[in-house]
Amino acid sequence: MSAYPCLEFDLPKLRHNLLELSKRCNAAGIRLAGAVKGVQSQPTLVREYLPYCDQLALSRLSQAKMLRQAGITADLLMLRLPMPSEIPDLVALAQYSLNSQFRVIQQIEEECTRQNKRHKVILMADEGDLREGYWDKAQLTQDAVRIERQMHAVSLAGVGVNLGCYGSVLPSRENLGDLVQIAREIEQRIGRKLEIVSGGATTSLHLMLTGAMPEGINHLRVGEAIMNARDLHDRRGMNTDFLDPHVVTLKAEVVEVFSKPSHPVGEIDLDAFGHKRAYLDRGIRRRALLALGRQDLGYLEDLRPRLPGIQILGGSSDHLILDIEDSQEEWYPGKIVCFDLDYGTLMFATNSSDISIRYLE
Ligand SMILES: *Cc1c(COP(=O)(O)O)cnc(C)c1O
């Protein structure tokens, strides 16, 4: 395998972010599930999360299997609603799952009995983001009570919400307060406290960090903030000075450096992916071609060059094209260029068989 492109994970920086974030969560009475799905649950990374998290949160049971084979015994929380066809593996591998369909939870109960296992469910409320979760909150409460009264191997761990994914809805005192209300009503009906009231993901940290988290939220499932702290700052204007933004670095190699026209020459049709594109004519400019493409990353334009004076012009399956006219650096084939990644590009990159992975101890 080639040395480049490669992803470098700085483990001391990762530990720093886990420590600083978990300190703040604990001070706010919030327990952490470490969402590791965005980095394909790599065991070397996952091991760093263990001292700071109650559960590891993932979305694919193949990754759960891999973690067990790597000897990791921590509680696993499955973030995607279970496919009925994967319930045997779910029960065998994971202690917690997010759920919204009573008939699926009944199937989990039956499978638990078959395997002589126990499993904890978190019922999801849809507070407007319109992905998973009960829209009808009376039905949620009723199903929670039925789980408590009728089931033996499945237990009700609590309730949760997901926001800011499909519907781009921001967590607020109102929607998270509503979740706490649902939890209180269930607790009153079943006569005990719920273990988990899970108020969302990275996007909910803003409320916690500004002291505005509704009382009663005691759990968050956080991935992005730990690996890609910069997203919070750049996209949500959050003060994240206590987090290191450079846990991950993508390194790619230059294969050509030339000055060329900035506007294509000839009759303009479609690009390699069938899209009509616009090109700005800025005259002759210096550009660098890198060996990294959409096969590796998908959204090449979302990469963020670390060096100043570089602009991403675009790319194709195997190439990334940079405008380097304003860069003060020396450019030559073989030069290694460093990039920051966001949530999407990191997810693609960790899934690419042609990007090697290195860990800085
Ligand atoms: C991915 C995911 C998370 C973690 O999201 P981040 O933005 O990485 O913090 C939490 N909950 C659910 C249901 C998810 O799918």
Side-chain angles (χ1 to χ4, degrees):
M1 196 177 184
S2 318
Y4 298 99
C6 87
L7 270 179
E8 238 171 48
F9 288 91
D10 188 313
L11 300 181
K13 289 180 178 171
L14 174 59
R15 278 195 285 278
H16 169 86
N17 285 357
L18 282 162
L19 173 68
E20 292 301 322
L21 189 69
S22 62
K23 265 201 314 214
R24 285 164 176 79
C25 286
N26 291 342
I30 289 175
R31 312 292 302 171
L32 256 186
V36 291
K37 66 174 195 219
V39 289
Q40 315 305 321
S41 307
Q42 296 165 54
T44 306
L45 298 175
V46 160
R47 282 198 187 91
E48 302 294 344
Y49 285 69
L50 297 176
Y52 306 103
C53 299
D54 283 9
Q55 303 95 13
L56 297 168
L58 28 157
S59 52
R60 312 284 166 127
L61 284 166
S62 55
Q63 291 172 17
K65 198 165 285 178
M66 177 190 69
L67 291 180
R68 293 305 186 221
Q69 278 161 2
I72 290 164
T73 56
D75 279 355
L76 304 183
L77 188 165
M78 301 311 296
L79 293 166
R80 184 168 66 184
L81 305 182
M83 291 183 266
S85 60
E86 67 182 0
I87 288 176
D89 282 339
L90 173 74
V91 165
L93 293 162
Q95 286 64 47
Y96 292 83
S97 57
L98 307 183
N99 282 274
S100 66
Q101 301 272 278
F102 191 74
R103 64 179 274 163
V104 175
I105 300 170
Q106 279 177 314
Q107 291 167 25
I108 297 174
E109 165 80 5
E110 285 161 24
E111 184 61 31
C112 279
T113 308
R114 216 167 287 143
Q115 293 189 28
N116 194 22
K117 290 248 187 191
R118 300 188 61 83
H119 190 81
K120 298 189 189 184
V121 295
I122 297 168
L123 294 185
M124 297 299 279
D126 189 332
E127 289 289 340
D129 204 57
L130 305 185
R131 201 177 71 184
E132 74 276 54
Y134 287 82
W135 190 251
D136 180 346
K137 308 308 180 315
Q139 194 189 345
L140 190 165
T141 304
Q142 188 190 330
D143 284 355
V145 174
R146 283 167 78 197
I147 293 167
E148 182 77 4
R149 298 210 175 126
Q150 297 171 11
M151 298 197 182
H152 306 288
V154 167
S155 59
L156 178 69
V159 293
V161 69
N162 196 67
L163 293 158
C165 279
Y166 169 72
S168 316
V169 171
L170 280 175
S172 66
R173 285 190 65 80
E174 289 68 40
N175 51 32
L176 294 188
D178 196 57
L179 182 72
V180 174
Q181 276 311 310
I182 294 169
R184 294 295 98 94
E185 188 179 330
I186 293 171
E187 287 173 342
Q188 210 202 346
R189 299 262 311 265
I190 65 177
R192 68 169 174 92
K193 290 291 271 183
L194 291 172
E195 174 195 344
I196 289 176
V197 184
S198 189
T202 290
T203 49
S204 295
L205 287 174
H206 184 60
L207 288 174
M208 185 191 88
L209 293 171
T210 55
M213 183 66 89
E215 193 166 335
I217 298 290
N218 67 5
H219 184 269
L220 292 175
R221 316 170 303 269
V222 178
E224 187 178 19
I226 297 164
M227 281 287 169
N228 304 84
R230 229 185 100 173
D231 287 3
L232 288 182
H233 179 265
D234 293 0
R235 295 188 179 160
R236 320 221 183 247
M238 221 183 279
N239 179 353
T240 50
D241 291 349
F242 64 96
L243 295 170
D244 194 308
H246 298 315
V247 174
V248 199
T249 307
L250 176 71
K251 296 184 169 179
E253 188 166 347
V254 175
V255 293
E256 180 189 289
V257 182
F258 275 132
S259 289
K260 295 188 186 183
S262 42
H263 193 275
V265 181
E267 192 185 340
I268 306 267
D269 185 34
L270 303 172
D271 75 3
F273 289 86
H275 298 145
K276 193 114 200 150
R277 294 200 41 192
Y279 303 90
L280 188 63
D281 190 351
R282 303 172 74 195
I284 303 281
R285 292 182 67 87
R286 214 162 144 73
R287 51 170 67 205
L289 194 61
L290 272 61
L292 175 77
R294 291 196 203 283
Q295 287 203 63
D296 306 301
L297 270 176
Y299 308 125
L300 289 172
E301 289 80 1
D302 291 343
L303 288 172
R304 297 178 284 218
R306 288 253 174 97
L307 288 171
I310 302 177
Q311 195 195 341
I312 292 178
L313 293 174
S316 55
S317 307
D318 303 297
H319 296 96
L320 172 66
I321 307 167
L322 303 181
D323 179 305
I324 54 167
E325 181 71 26
D326 301 328
S327 165
Q328 305 301 313
E329 292 275 311
E330 196 189 335
W331 288 83
Y332 49 89
K335 180 182 178 69
I336 305 300
V337 186
C338 293
F339 298 89
D340 287 317
L341 301 100
D342 67 353
Y343 188 79
T345 47
L346 180 60
M347 184 192 70
F348 282 118
T350 49
N351 222 354
S352 165
S353 52
D354 285 320
I355 297 182
S356 59
I357 290 181
R358 278 181 226 150
Y359 302 103
L360 305 178
E361 299 291 337

